[in-house]
Every structure is written in C-alpha cells, then in structure tokens.
mmCIF file of all heavy atoms in Angstrom:
data_model
loop_
_atom_site.group_PDB
_atom_site.id
_atom_site.type_symbol
_atom_site.label_atom_id
_atom_site.label_comp_id
_atom_site.label_asym_id
_atom_site.label_seq_id
_atom_site.Cartn_x
_atom_site.Cartn_y
_atom_site.Cartn_z
ATOM 1 N N THR A 6 0.820 -1.213 0.000
ATOM 2 C CA THR A 6 0.000 0.000 0.000
ATOM 3 C C THR A 6 0.856 1.266 0.000
ATOM 4 O O THR A 6 0.381 2.334 -0.414
ATOM 5 C CB THR A 6 -0.929 0.016 1.217
ATOM 6 O OG1 THR A 6 -0.155 -0.173 2.419
ATOM 7 C CG2 THR A 6 -1.965 -1.084 1.116
ATOM 8 N N SER A 7 2.116 1.159 0.443
ATOM 9 C CA SER A 7 2.993 2.331 0.398
ATOM 10 C C SER A 7 3.476 2.617 -1.024
ATOM 11 O O SER A 7 3.966 3.710 -1.307
ATOM 12 C CB SER A 7 4.193 2.120 1.327
ATOM 13 O OG SER A 7 5.028 1.082 0.836
ATOM 14 N N LEU A 8 3.358 1.605 -1.928
ATOM 15 C CA LEU A 8 3.773 1.803 -3.322
ATOM 16 C C LEU A 8 2.705 2.521 -4.131
ATOM 17 O O LEU A 8 3.011 3.340 -4.995
ATOM 18 C CB LEU A 8 4.085 0.449 -3.974
ATOM 19 C CG LEU A 8 5.276 -0.332 -3.406
ATOM 20 C CD1 LEU A 8 5.330 -1.717 -4.046
ATOM 21 C CD2 LEU A 8 6.575 0.418 -3.657
ATOM 22 N N THR A 9 1.436 2.199 -3.901
ATOM 23 C CA THR A 9 0.343 2.752 -4.692
ATOM 24 C C THR A 9 -0.948 2.657 -3.901
ATOM 25 O O THR A 9 -1.076 1.841 -2.974
ATOM 26 C CB THR A 9 0.197 1.991 -6.022
ATOM 27 O OG1 THR A 9 -0.932 2.471 -6.709
ATOM 28 C CG2 THR A 9 0.045 0.506 -5.787
ATOM 29 N N ASP A 10 -1.916 3.480 -4.267
ATOM 30 C CA ASP A 10 -3.218 3.435 -3.595
ATOM 31 C C ASP A 10 -4.191 2.503 -4.315
ATOM 32 O O ASP A 10 -5.333 2.358 -3.906
ATOM 33 C CB ASP A 10 -3.815 4.841 -3.503
ATOM 34 C CG ASP A 10 -3.918 5.514 -4.871
ATOM 35 O OD1 ASP A 10 -3.400 4.943 -5.843
ATOM 36 O OD2 ASP A 10 -4.512 6.609 -4.943
ATOM 37 N N ARG A 11 -3.760 1.879 -5.417
ATOM 38 C CA ARG A 11 -4.605 0.897 -6.092
ATOM 39 C C ARG A 11 -4.554 -0.426 -5.331
ATOM 40 O O ARG A 11 -3.615 -0.683 -4.576
ATOM 41 C CB ARG A 11 -4.141 0.719 -7.546
ATOM 42 C CG ARG A 11 -4.411 1.958 -8.414
ATOM 43 C CD ARG A 11 -3.868 1.788 -9.820
ATOM 44 N NE ARG A 11 -2.416 1.867 -9.833
ATOM 45 C CZ ARG A 11 -1.737 3.000 -10.002
ATOM 46 N NH1 ARG A 11 -2.387 4.140 -10.177
ATOM 47 N NH2 ARG A 11 -0.425 3.010 -10.013
ATOM 48 N N VAL A 12 -5.555 -1.257 -5.545
ATOM 49 C CA VAL A 12 -5.711 -2.412 -4.650
ATOM 50 C C VAL A 12 -5.508 -3.766 -5.333
ATOM 51 O O VAL A 12 -5.626 -4.801 -4.679
ATOM 52 C CB VAL A 12 -7.103 -2.406 -3.987
ATOM 53 C CG1 VAL A 12 -7.224 -1.214 -3.054
ATOM 54 C CG2 VAL A 12 -8.205 -2.371 -5.045
ATOM 55 N N GLY A 13 -5.223 -3.791 -6.620
ATOM 56 C CA GLY A 13 -4.988 -5.068 -7.293
ATOM 57 C C GLY A 13 -3.516 -5.235 -7.587
ATOM 58 O O GLY A 13 -2.950 -4.509 -8.406
ATOM 59 N N TYR A 14 -2.859 -6.193 -6.908
ATOM 60 C CA TYR A 14 -1.414 -6.346 -7.030
ATOM 61 C C TYR A 14 -1.074 -7.697 -7.651
ATOM 62 O O TYR A 14 -1.666 -8.719 -7.310
ATOM 63 C CB TYR A 14 -0.729 -6.275 -5.651
ATOM 64 C CG TYR A 14 -1.080 -5.058 -4.835
ATOM 65 C CD1 TYR A 14 -2.033 -5.141 -3.816
ATOM 66 C CD2 TYR A 14 -0.468 -3.828 -5.063
ATOM 67 C CE1 TYR A 14 -2.362 -4.036 -3.056
ATOM 68 C CE2 TYR A 14 -0.789 -2.716 -4.300
ATOM 69 C CZ TYR A 14 -1.742 -2.827 -3.300
ATOM 70 O OH TYR A 14 -2.069 -1.725 -2.541
ATOM 71 N N LEU A 15 -0.120 -7.666 -8.567
ATOM 72 C CA LEU A 15 0.515 -8.895 -9.047
ATOM 73 C C LEU A 15 1.946 -8.874 -8.531
ATOM 74 O O LEU A 15 2.740 -8.005 -8.908
ATOM 75 C CB LEU A 15 0.514 -8.969 -10.577
ATOM 76 C CG LEU A 15 1.285 -10.147 -11.173
ATOM 77 C CD1 LEU A 15 0.642 -11.476 -10.789
ATOM 78 C CD2 LEU A 15 1.390 -10.034 -12.689
ATOM 79 N N VAL A 16 2.268 -9.793 -7.641
ATOM 80 C CA VAL A 16 3.594 -9.838 -7.031
ATOM 81 C C VAL A 16 4.377 -10.972 -7.681
ATOM 82 O O VAL A 16 3.939 -12.133 -7.664
ATOM 83 C CB VAL A 16 3.501 -10.050 -5.510
ATOM 84 C CG1 VAL A 16 4.890 -10.125 -4.894
ATOM 85 C CG2 VAL A 16 2.702 -8.918 -4.872
ATOM 86 N N VAL A 17 5.503 -10.643 -8.269
ATOM 87 C CA VAL A 17 6.345 -11.615 -8.976
ATOM 88 C C VAL A 17 7.531 -11.949 -8.071
ATOM 89 O O VAL A 17 8.311 -11.062 -7.697
ATOM 90 C CB VAL A 17 6.831 -11.054 -10.320
ATOM 91 C CG1 VAL A 17 7.578 -12.129 -11.100
ATOM 92 C CG2 VAL A 17 5.658 -10.512 -11.131
ATOM 93 N N LEU A 18 7.651 -13.236 -7.720
ATOM 94 C CA LEU A 18 8.665 -13.666 -6.758
ATOM 95 C C LEU A 18 9.530 -14.777 -7.330
ATOM 96 O O LEU A 18 9.148 -15.455 -8.290
ATOM 97 C CB LEU A 18 7.997 -14.181 -5.475
ATOM 98 C CG LEU A 18 7.071 -13.232 -4.715
ATOM 99 C CD1 LEU A 18 6.425 -13.967 -3.562
ATOM 100 C CD2 LEU A 18 7.835 -12.017 -4.217
ATOM 101 N N GLU A 19 10.660 -14.964 -6.705
ATOM 102 C CA GLU A 19 11.463 -16.158 -6.964
ATOM 103 C C GLU A 19 10.838 -17.327 -6.212
ATOM 104 O O GLU A 19 10.213 -17.147 -5.151
ATOM 105 C CB GLU A 19 12.895 -15.939 -6.493
ATOM 106 C CG GLU A 19 13.656 -14.866 -7.240
ATOM 107 C CD GLU A 19 15.035 -14.649 -6.660
ATOM 108 O OE1 GLU A 19 15.128 -14.003 -5.602
ATOM 109 O OE2 GLU A 19 16.012 -15.137 -7.252
ATOM 110 N N ARG A 20 11.035 -18.512 -6.713
ATOM 111 C CA ARG A 20 10.453 -19.682 -6.047
ATOM 112 C C ARG A 20 11.080 -19.937 -4.679
ATOM 113 O O ARG A 20 10.472 -20.560 -3.813
ATOM 114 C CB ARG A 20 10.619 -20.918 -6.928
ATOM 115 C CG ARG A 20 9.759 -20.879 -8.192
ATOM 116 C CD ARG A 20 9.821 -22.165 -8.961
ATOM 117 N NE ARG A 20 8.968 -22.109 -10.152
ATOM 118 C CZ ARG A 20 7.682 -22.429 -10.173
ATOM 119 N NH1 ARG A 20 7.099 -22.829 -9.058
ATOM 120 N NH2 ARG A 20 6.981 -22.357 -11.286
ATOM 121 N N SER A 21 12.282 -19.449 -4.473
ATOM 122 C CA SER A 21 12.968 -19.666 -3.193
ATOM 123 C C SER A 21 12.568 -18.650 -2.118
ATOM 124 O O SER A 21 12.953 -18.791 -0.963
ATOM 125 C CB SER A 21 14.486 -19.596 -3.408
ATOM 126 O OG SER A 21 14.855 -18.337 -3.960
ATOM 127 N N ASP A 22 11.769 -17.634 -2.490
ATOM 128 C CA ASP A 22 11.379 -16.583 -1.535
ATOM 129 C C ASP A 22 10.180 -17.064 -0.718
ATOM 130 O O ASP A 22 9.056 -16.571 -0.875
ATOM 131 C CB ASP A 22 11.053 -15.296 -2.290
ATOM 132 C CG ASP A 22 10.934 -14.097 -1.363
ATOM 133 O OD1 ASP A 22 11.033 -14.290 -0.131
ATOM 134 O OD2 ASP A 22 10.740 -12.981 -1.874
ATOM 135 N N ALA A 23 10.414 -17.999 0.190
ATOM 136 C CA ALA A 23 9.323 -18.619 0.944
ATOM 137 C C ALA A 23 8.669 -17.650 1.917
ATOM 138 O O ALA A 23 7.449 -17.733 2.167
ATOM 139 C CB ALA A 23 9.854 -19.836 1.708
ATOM 140 N N ILE A 24 9.412 -16.703 2.483
ATOM 141 C CA ILE A 24 8.859 -15.782 3.474
ATOM 142 C C ILE A 24 7.767 -14.918 2.840
ATOM 143 O O ILE A 24 6.663 -14.755 3.400
ATOM 144 C CB ILE A 24 9.976 -14.884 4.067
ATOM 145 C CG1 ILE A 24 11.058 -15.747 4.732
ATOM 146 C CG2 ILE A 24 9.386 -13.907 5.071
ATOM 147 C CD1 ILE A 24 10.564 -16.572 5.888
ATOM 148 N N THR A 25 8.030 -14.369 1.667
ATOM 149 C CA THR A 25 7.033 -13.526 1.005
ATOM 150 C C THR A 25 5.843 -14.348 0.507
ATOM 151 O O THR A 25 4.694 -13.902 0.564
ATOM 152 C CB THR A 25 7.674 -12.767 -0.173
ATOM 153 O OG1 THR A 25 8.883 -12.138 0.271
ATOM 154 C CG2 THR A 25 6.739 -11.719 -0.714
ATOM 155 N N TRP A 26 6.112 -15.550 0.031
ATOM 156 C CA TRP A 26 5.018 -16.434 -0.395
ATOM 157 C C TRP A 26 4.051 -16.674 0.768
ATOM 158 O O TRP A 26 2.829 -16.561 0.608
ATOM 159 C CB TRP A 26 5.573 -17.777 -0.867
ATOM 160 C CG TRP A 26 6.047 -17.784 -2.292
ATOM 161 C CD1 TRP A 26 7.306 -17.540 -2.730
ATOM 162 C CD2 TRP A 26 5.261 -18.033 -3.463
ATOM 163 N NE1 TRP A 26 7.371 -17.629 -4.103
ATOM 164 C CE2 TRP A 26 6.133 -17.933 -4.586
ATOM 165 C CE3 TRP A 26 3.929 -18.327 -3.679
ATOM 166 C CZ2 TRP A 26 5.695 -18.122 -5.887
ATOM 167 C CZ3 TRP A 26 3.485 -18.523 -4.988
ATOM 168 C CH2 TRP A 26 4.364 -18.411 -6.072
ATOM 169 N N LEU A 27 4.594 -17.025 1.934
ATOM 170 C CA LEU A 27 3.747 -17.312 3.090
ATOM 171 C C LEU A 27 3.032 -16.059 3.587
ATOM 172 O O LEU A 27 1.914 -16.136 4.100
ATOM 173 C CB LEU A 27 4.593 -17.906 4.215
ATOM 174 C CG LEU A 27 5.176 -19.304 3.951
ATOM 175 C CD1 LEU A 27 6.141 -19.708 5.055
ATOM 176 C CD2 LEU A 27 4.061 -20.334 3.819
ATOM 177 N N SER A 28 3.645 -14.900 3.417
ATOM 178 C CA SER A 28 3.041 -13.663 3.909
ATOM 179 C C SER A 28 1.838 -13.236 3.087
ATOM 180 O O SER A 28 0.881 -12.673 3.627
ATOM 181 C CB SER A 28 4.085 -12.543 3.918
ATOM 182 O OG SER A 28 5.170 -12.865 4.764
ATOM 183 N N LEU A 29 1.865 -13.475 1.785
ATOM 184 C CA LEU A 29 0.837 -12.933 0.891
ATOM 185 C C LEU A 29 -0.098 -13.973 0.306
ATOM 186 O O LEU A 29 -1.000 -13.615 -0.472
ATOM 187 C CB LEU A 29 1.505 -12.152 -0.247
ATOM 188 C CG LEU A 29 2.232 -10.862 0.154
ATOM 189 C CD1 LEU A 29 2.971 -10.285 -1.037
ATOM 190 C CD2 LEU A 29 1.251 -9.841 0.713
ATOM 191 N N ARG A 30 0.065 -15.227 0.633
ATOM 192 C CA ARG A 30 -0.718 -16.258 -0.051
ATOM 193 C C ARG A 30 -2.212 -16.173 0.262
ATOM 194 O O ARG A 30 -3.041 -16.625 -0.532
ATOM 195 C CB ARG A 30 -0.192 -17.646 0.321
ATOM 196 C CG ARG A 30 -0.311 -17.978 1.795
ATOM 197 C CD ARG A 30 0.223 -19.361 2.089
ATOM 198 N NE ARG A 30 0.154 -19.673 3.513
ATOM 199 C CZ ARG A 30 0.476 -20.843 4.031
ATOM 200 N NH1 ARG A 30 0.907 -21.817 3.226
ATOM 201 N NH2 ARG A 30 0.391 -21.056 5.322
ATOM 202 N N ASN A 31 -2.591 -15.585 1.399
ATOM 203 C CA ASN A 31 -4.003 -15.515 1.770
ATOM 204 C C ASN A 31 -4.597 -14.122 1.563
ATOM 205 O O ASN A 31 -5.769 -13.900 1.888
ATOM 206 C CB ASN A 31 -4.191 -15.926 3.236
ATOM 207 C CG ASN A 31 -3.955 -17.415 3.440
ATOM 208 O OD1 ASN A 31 -4.217 -18.211 2.549
ATOM 209 N ND2 ASN A 31 -3.457 -17.782 4.602
ATOM 210 N N ALA A 32 -3.832 -13.183 1.050
ATOM 211 C CA ALA A 32 -4.345 -11.830 0.835
ATOM 212 C C ALA A 32 -5.199 -11.804 -0.427
ATOM 213 O O ALA A 32 -4.689 -12.103 -1.516
ATOM 214 C CB ALA A 32 -3.192 -10.844 0.734
ATOM 215 N N PRO A 33 -6.490 -11.461 -0.315
ATOM 216 C CA PRO A 33 -7.377 -11.536 -1.495
ATOM 217 C C PRO A 33 -7.038 -10.533 -2.582
ATOM 218 O O PRO A 33 -7.344 -10.766 -3.755
ATOM 219 C CB PRO A 33 -8.769 -11.263 -0.905
ATOM 220 C CG PRO A 33 -8.515 -10.530 0.366
ATOM 221 C CD PRO A 33 -7.205 -11.025 0.895
ATOM 222 N N GLU A 34 -6.415 -9.418 -2.229
ATOM 223 C CA GLU A 34 -6.113 -8.400 -3.230
ATOM 224 C C GLU A 34 -4.774 -8.622 -3.920
ATOM 225 O O GLU A 34 -4.367 -7.829 -4.778
ATOM 226 C CB GLU A 34 -6.131 -6.999 -2.593
ATOM 227 C CG GLU A 34 -5.064 -6.771 -1.547
ATOM 228 C CD GLU A 34 -5.549 -7.115 -0.142
ATOM 229 O OE1 GLU A 34 -6.300 -8.104 0.002
ATOM 230 O OE2 GLU A 34 -5.186 -6.386 0.787
ATOM 231 N N VAL A 35 -4.094 -9.705 -3.551
ATOM 232 C CA VAL A 35 -2.757 -9.981 -4.089
ATOM 233 C C VAL A 35 -2.781 -11.310 -4.832
ATOM 234 O O VAL A 35 -3.320 -12.303 -4.345
ATOM 235 C CB VAL A 35 -1.703 -10.030 -2.966
ATOM 236 C CG1 VAL A 35 -0.329 -10.353 -3.547
ATOM 237 C CG2 VAL A 35 -1.663 -8.704 -2.221
ATOM 238 N N HIS A 36 -2.196 -11.296 -6.018
ATOM 239 C CA HIS A 36 -1.983 -12.546 -6.750
ATOM 240 C C HIS A 36 -0.475 -12.754 -6.882
ATOM 241 O O HIS A 36 0.233 -11.878 -7.388
ATOM 242 C CB HIS A 36 -2.630 -12.501 -8.135
ATOM 243 C CG HIS A 36 -2.452 -13.767 -8.910
ATOM 244 N ND1 HIS A 36 -3.020 -14.960 -8.542
ATOM 245 C CD2 HIS A 36 -1.746 -14.031 -10.052
ATOM 246 C CE1 HIS A 36 -2.691 -15.903 -9.412
ATOM 247 N NE2 HIS A 36 -1.906 -15.365 -10.335
ATOM 248 N N ILE A 37 0.004 -13.898 -6.414
ATOM 249 C CA ILE A 37 1.435 -14.179 -6.456
ATOM 250 C C ILE A 37 1.713 -15.116 -7.620
ATOM 251 O O ILE A 37 0.955 -16.057 -7.882
ATOM 252 C CB ILE A 37 1.922 -14.843 -5.146
ATOM 253 C CG1 ILE A 37 1.393 -14.079 -3.936
ATOM 254 C CG2 ILE A 37 3.428 -14.911 -5.099
ATOM 255 C CD1 ILE A 37 1.703 -14.765 -2.622
ATOM 256 N N VAL A 38 2.803 -14.861 -8.308
ATOM 257 C CA VAL A 38 3.202 -15.731 -9.417
ATOM 258 C C VAL A 38 4.718 -15.847 -9.402
ATOM 259 O O VAL A 38 5.427 -14.888 -9.070
ATOM 260 C CB VAL A 38 2.691 -15.166 -10.764
ATOM 261 C CG1 VAL A 38 3.357 -13.857 -11.108
ATOM 262 C CG2 VAL A 38 2.896 -16.154 -11.892
ATOM 263 N N ALA A 39 5.202 -17.045 -9.730
ATOM 264 C CA ALA A 39 6.650 -17.245 -9.842
ATOM 265 C C ALA A 39 7.143 -16.555 -11.099
ATOM 266 O O ALA A 39 6.416 -16.417 -12.089
ATOM 267 C CB ALA A 39 6.988 -18.733 -9.878
ATOM 268 N N VAL A 40 8.405 -16.139 -11.073
ATOM 269 C CA VAL A 40 8.930 -15.343 -12.183
ATOM 270 C C VAL A 40 8.907 -16.128 -13.490
ATOM 271 O O VAL A 40 8.713 -15.553 -14.568
ATOM 272 C CB VAL A 40 10.357 -14.851 -11.849
ATOM 273 C CG1 VAL A 40 11.314 -16.029 -11.685
ATOM 274 C CG2 VAL A 40 10.873 -13.909 -12.918
ATOM 275 N N ASP A 41 9.055 -17.449 -13.421
ATOM 276 C CA ASP A 41 9.042 -18.239 -14.651
ATOM 277 C C ASP A 41 7.623 -18.564 -15.120
ATOM 278 O O ASP A 41 7.441 -19.211 -16.151
ATOM 279 C CB ASP A 41 9.836 -19.537 -14.461
ATOM 280 C CG ASP A 41 9.329 -20.362 -13.296
ATOM 281 O OD1 ASP A 41 8.703 -19.784 -12.388
ATOM 282 O OD2 ASP A 41 9.557 -21.589 -13.276
ATOM 283 N N GLN A 42 6.598 -18.110 -14.361
ATOM 284 C CA GLN A 42 5.208 -18.333 -14.741
ATOM 285 C C GLN A 42 4.474 -17.025 -15.059
ATOM 286 O O GLN A 42 3.257 -17.009 -15.185
ATOM 287 C CB GLN A 42 4.471 -19.052 -13.598
ATOM 288 C CG GLN A 42 4.996 -20.445 -13.312
ATOM 289 C CD GLN A 42 4.752 -21.392 -14.471
ATOM 290 O OE1 GLN A 42 3.668 -21.412 -15.035
ATOM 291 N NE2 GLN A 42 5.754 -22.177 -14.826
ATOM 292 N N LEU A 43 5.207 -15.937 -15.193
ATOM 293 C CA LEU A 43 4.598 -14.651 -15.500
ATOM 294 C C LEU A 43 3.898 -14.722 -16.852
ATOM 295 O O LEU A 43 4.464 -15.210 -17.831
ATOM 296 C CB LEU A 43 5.671 -13.563 -15.516
ATOM 297 C CG LEU A 43 5.201 -12.119 -15.677
ATOM 298 C CD1 LEU A 43 4.274 -11.721 -14.546
ATOM 299 C CD2 LEU A 43 6.391 -11.178 -15.739
ATOM 300 N N ASN A 44 2.651 -14.246 -16.897
ATOM 301 C CA ASN A 44 1.871 -14.379 -18.124
ATOM 302 C C ASN A 44 1.042 -13.124 -18.373
ATOM 303 O O ASN A 44 0.856 -12.281 -17.485
ATOM 304 C CB ASN A 44 0.965 -15.609 -18.048
ATOM 305 C CG ASN A 44 0.006 -15.529 -16.872
ATOM 306 O OD1 ASN A 44 -1.061 -14.932 -16.966
ATOM 307 N ND2 ASN A 44 0.392 -16.120 -15.746
ATOM 308 N N THR A 45 0.528 -13.013 -19.582
ATOM 309 C CA THR A 45 -0.189 -11.813 -20.022
ATOM 310 C C THR A 45 -1.470 -11.594 -19.230
ATOM 311 O O THR A 45 -1.788 -10.472 -18.817
ATOM 312 C CB THR A 45 -0.517 -11.921 -21.521
ATOM 313 O OG1 THR A 45 0.682 -12.183 -22.244
ATOM 314 C CG2 THR A 45 -1.138 -10.652 -22.041
ATOM 315 N N TYR A 46 -2.235 -12.648 -19.002
ATOM 316 C CA TYR A 46 -3.527 -12.499 -18.331
ATOM 317 C C TYR A 46 -3.356 -11.932 -16.925
ATOM 318 O O TYR A 46 -4.095 -11.019 -16.511
ATOM 319 C CB TYR A 46 -4.243 -13.854 -18.261
ATOM 320 C CG TYR A 46 -5.536 -13.800 -17.489
ATOM 321 C CD1 TYR A 46 -6.692 -13.292 -18.078
ATOM 322 C CD2 TYR A 46 -5.603 -14.234 -16.173
ATOM 323 C CE1 TYR A 46 -7.886 -13.227 -17.376
ATOM 324 C CE2 TYR A 46 -6.785 -14.175 -15.459
ATOM 325 C CZ TYR A 46 -7.919 -13.668 -16.059
ATOM 326 O OH TYR A 46 -9.100 -13.596 -15.359
ATOM 327 N N ASP A 47 -2.414 -12.461 -16.160
ATOM 328 C CA ASP A 47 -2.209 -11.982 -14.792
ATOM 329 C C ASP A 47 -1.757 -10.526 -14.762
ATOM 330 O O ASP A 47 -2.127 -9.763 -13.874
ATOM 331 C CB ASP A 47 -1.185 -12.865 -14.073
ATOM 332 C CG ASP A 47 -1.751 -14.232 -13.727
ATOM 333 O OD1 ASP A 47 -2.985 -14.348 -13.640
ATOM 334 O OD2 ASP A 47 -0.962 -15.185 -13.548
ATOM 335 N N VAL A 48 -0.933 -10.133 -15.749
ATOM 336 C CA VAL A 48 -0.490 -8.734 -15.805
ATOM 337 C C VAL A 48 -1.683 -7.813 -16.069
ATOM 338 O O VAL A 48 -1.828 -6.756 -15.439
ATOM 339 C CB VAL A 48 0.584 -8.553 -16.896
ATOM 340 C CG1 VAL A 48 0.914 -7.072 -17.091
ATOM 341 C CG2 VAL A 48 1.847 -9.315 -16.523
ATOM 342 N N LEU A 49 -2.569 -8.200 -16.977
ATOM 343 C CA LEU A 49 -3.721 -7.360 -17.306
ATOM 344 C C LEU A 49 -4.765 -7.352 -16.198
ATOM 345 O O LEU A 49 -5.484 -6.357 -16.021
ATOM 346 C CB LEU A 49 -4.361 -7.849 -18.611
ATOM 347 C CG LEU A 49 -3.499 -7.752 -19.871
ATOM 348 C CD1 LEU A 49 -4.258 -8.301 -21.065
ATOM 349 C CD2 LEU A 49 -3.087 -6.312 -20.133
ATOM 350 N N ALA A 50 -4.857 -8.450 -15.462
ATOM 351 C CA ALA A 50 -5.860 -8.539 -14.395
ATOM 352 C C ALA A 50 -5.477 -7.717 -13.175
ATOM 353 O O ALA A 50 -6.338 -7.425 -12.333
ATOM 354 C CB ALA A 50 -6.071 -9.998 -13.997
ATOM 355 N N ALA A 51 -4.207 -7.350 -13.041
ATOM 356 C CA ALA A 51 -3.745 -6.598 -11.867
ATOM 357 C C ALA A 51 -3.590 -5.120 -12.216
ATOM 358 O O ALA A 51 -3.358 -4.753 -13.381
ATOM 359 C CB ALA A 51 -2.406 -7.167 -11.385
ATOM 360 N N ASP A 52 -3.710 -4.279 -11.186
ATOM 361 C CA ASP A 52 -3.491 -2.848 -11.385
ATOM 362 C C ASP A 52 -2.004 -2.517 -11.420
ATOM 363 O O ASP A 52 -1.565 -1.695 -12.216
ATOM 364 C CB ASP A 52 -4.165 -2.053 -10.262
ATOM 365 C CG ASP A 52 -5.683 -2.165 -10.310
ATOM 366 O OD1 ASP A 52 -6.233 -2.207 -11.431
ATOM 367 O OD2 ASP A 52 -6.305 -2.242 -9.239
ATOM 368 N N ASP A 53 -1.237 -3.138 -10.532
ATOM 369 C CA ASP A 53 0.195 -2.867 -10.434
ATOM 370 C C ASP A 53 0.962 -4.182 -10.407
ATOM 371 O O ASP A 53 0.495 -5.175 -9.836
ATOM 372 C CB ASP A 53 0.513 -2.072 -9.173
ATOM 373 C CG ASP A 53 0.044 -0.638 -9.256
ATOM 374 O OD1 ASP A 53 -1.168 -0.387 -9.054
ATOM 375 O OD2 ASP A 53 0.873 0.243 -9.532
#
C-alpha cells in the first residue's frame, strides 16, 4: 500500500522466496506468481 493506492497487485517472486510467499498467499487483493510463470492475463488482471 505504500507503493500505490490501487488495490490489485501482481507480485512476482522467486520460487525460493518462501517468506514472502507465506506472507501474501491468503491476501485476497494480491496474486502471487513465480517469475518463470509470468503471463499476459495476470499482468492485465492486476493494477500494479
């Protein structure tokens, strides 16, 4: 929320970043994707 006031986030992580995965996996406004699975639909579905 300190990055932007929009509420739809696509967070791109490394597969080894377990701490961030566990922190955001249940947040409804956040969609997490591994860097090797980044795709067009997820980018368009998110605000940031």
Side-chain angles (χ1 to χ4, degrees):
T6 53
S7 67
L8 295 173
T9 175
D10 55 353
R11 291 177 287 270
V12 294
Y14 307 100
L15 174 65
V16 179
V17 186
L18 302 175
E19 295 176 283
R20 291 186 179 272
S21 58
D22 192 356
I24 301 298
T25 311
W26 277 93
L27 293 173
S28 299
L29 293 174
R30 62 180 178 176
N31 290 329
E34 64 269 38
V35 179
H36 181 66
I37 312 174
V38 66
V40 63
D41 56 337
Q42 296 294 315
L43 186 60
N44 59 85
T45 306
Y46 176 79
D47 288 337
V48 172
L49 296 179
D52 293 324
D53 288 79

